[in-house]
Amino acid sequence: MKKMSDEMFREIILRDAGYCGNEYGMPEIIKEEFDLKTIKLIGCQNIKSNDERHKDYGVHFYKWDDKLECYYKNPYRYVEKLKQYKFMFTPDYSVFLLSNPNVQRFNIFRSRWVGNFYQRKGCIVYPGAGWGGKDTFSWCFAGLPYNGTLSISTLGTFTEHKKAFLDGYFELLKQKNPENILCYGKPHREMEGTCNIISCLHEAEIINAEKDFLETQKYYRNLLFDVEELYGKRA
């Protein structure tokens, strides 16, 4: 077996806390300058070596968690691949409303850690903001840059959990005052005029992305417990 280097040991095993500048221990992602006139995206599952065709694209991670695990478990493997693209978001690990708070916090930590790691390796990172219910608002935005460019996704928030999404969106504006919001999906009407919102997808792409999300969600929903299974039927 190949011996793990000291650097790799520190990064992968210890997840060095030296890159955390907040009380919650979330790795910090510094503000990147934003000057993109057009935004083109490629999904993280489609990146490859020597990808000349997509070198002016950004990489998005708005996929289900099984497609994102590798960037936390084996981050060194993707450094050179990701550096060839124009920018990247951070992995959108799930923060389900009914998840155990420890899992929610761990998934936010993973997203920040991956963004911090690749930023230190030379990638331009526009971090994604994620949240659960109001009980997550005290820590879920820790490590995000103030007055920077952030990404969010609205996929799946028009059919359910709309209020929870908008509550988190307005809390994000309050805490981080983002200069730009890169929105993967169609913005909600309530978001209009609140920030410089830049849609990352054309209308046809949004329709296809939303359709793909909802169809895939049916599969993943079968793997999750519902409230009645967790707590029993309530009177």
Side-chain angles (χ1 to χ4, degrees):
M1 179 181 290
K2 185 178 179 181
K3 184 179 179 181
M4 182 178 291
S5 69
D6 291 341
E7 179 187 15
M8 189 177 296
F9 180 84
R10 183 178 68 249
E11 297 281 15
I12 307 303
I13 304 301
L14 301 181
R15 303 286 175 178
D16 195 332
Y19 307 111
C20 307
N22 55 78
E23 63 180 303
Y24 300 104
M26 294 294 180
E28 301 277 344
I29 301 175
I30 64 173
K31 177 181 176 180
E32 301 273 16
E33 294 301 320
F34 181 79
D35 59 358
L36 300 177
K37 292 185 174 67
T38 58
I39 299 175
K40 294 180 286 187
L41 297 176
I42 182 173
C44 60
Q45 79 282 6
N46 294 321
I47 67 172
K48 59 184 180 180
S49 301
N50 303 313
D51 191 0
E52 289 294 322
R53 179 181 177 185
H54 299 107
K55 64 181 181 180
D56 61 338
Y57 280 53
V59 181
H60 80 82
F61 296 78
Y62 289 114
K63 297 293 178 180
W64 291 98
D65 292 36
D66 59 338
K67 300 293 192 300
L68 310 178
E69 291 291 331
C70 57
Y71 295 98
Y72 181 73
K73 292 182 177 179
N74 301 294
Y76 281 93
R77 181 178 180 181
Y78 303 96
V79 170
E80 296 305 317
K81 287 182 181 179
L82 287 169
K83 282 174 67 175
Q84 69 185 319
Y85 297 100
K86 203 160 191 177
F87 63 90
M88 61 176 281
F89 294 162
T90 52
D92 186 44
Y93 298 109
S94 297
V95 186
F96 294 114
L97 289 173
L98 293 176
S99 292
N100 185 292
N102 296 295
V103 176
Q104 293 176 324
R105 187 159 174 164
F106 177 57
N107 281 345
I108 293 293
F109 169 83
R110 291 200 293 170
S111 180
R112 300 286 187 276
W113 189 89
V114 170
N116 175 286
F117 174 86
Y118 285 115
Q119 195 172 53
R120 288 186 284 110
K121 299 302 179 185
C123 295
I124 294 176
V125 178
Y126 299 123
W131 54 88
K134 291 183 178 180
D135 56 322
T136 69
F137 292 175
S138 63
W139 51 263
C140 67
F141 304 124
L144 295 176
Y146 185 80
N147 197 221
T149 297
L150 308 176
S151 73
I152 63 171
S153 171
T154 61
L155 296 185
T157 65
F158 286 86
T159 55
E160 59 181 343
H161 306 315
K162 178 178 178 179
K163 184 180 185 304
F165 173 83
L166 290 174
D167 285 345
Y169 172 76
F170 285 108
E171 184 65 22
L172 173 66
L173 297 186
K174 177 182 176 181
Q175 290 193 29
K176 294 297 176 178
N177 188 37
E179 183 177 7
N180 305 292
I181 291 286
L182 306 181
C183 186
Y184 187 79
K186 182 180 179 180
H188 286 274
R189 178 182 55 79
E190 291 86 346
M191 296 165 58
E192 294 178 4
T194 61
C195 182
N196 182 33
I197 300 173
I198 303 168
S199 181
C200 296
L201 296 172
H202 298 300
E203 187 65 30
E205 294 175 313
I206 291 175
I207 293 173
N208 290 333
E210 184 75 28
K211 180 180 178 182
D212 178 66
F213 177 89
L214 293 176
E215 289 180 350
T216 309
Q217 186 184 48
K218 294 176 184 178
Y219 165 75
Y220 285 92
R221 191 181 296 278
N222 291 333
L223 303 179
L224 300 175
F225 295 104
D226 60 26
V227 176
E228 289 187 354
E229 287 178 294
L230 285 171
Y231 302 112
K233 293 185 178 180
R234 299 188 185 271

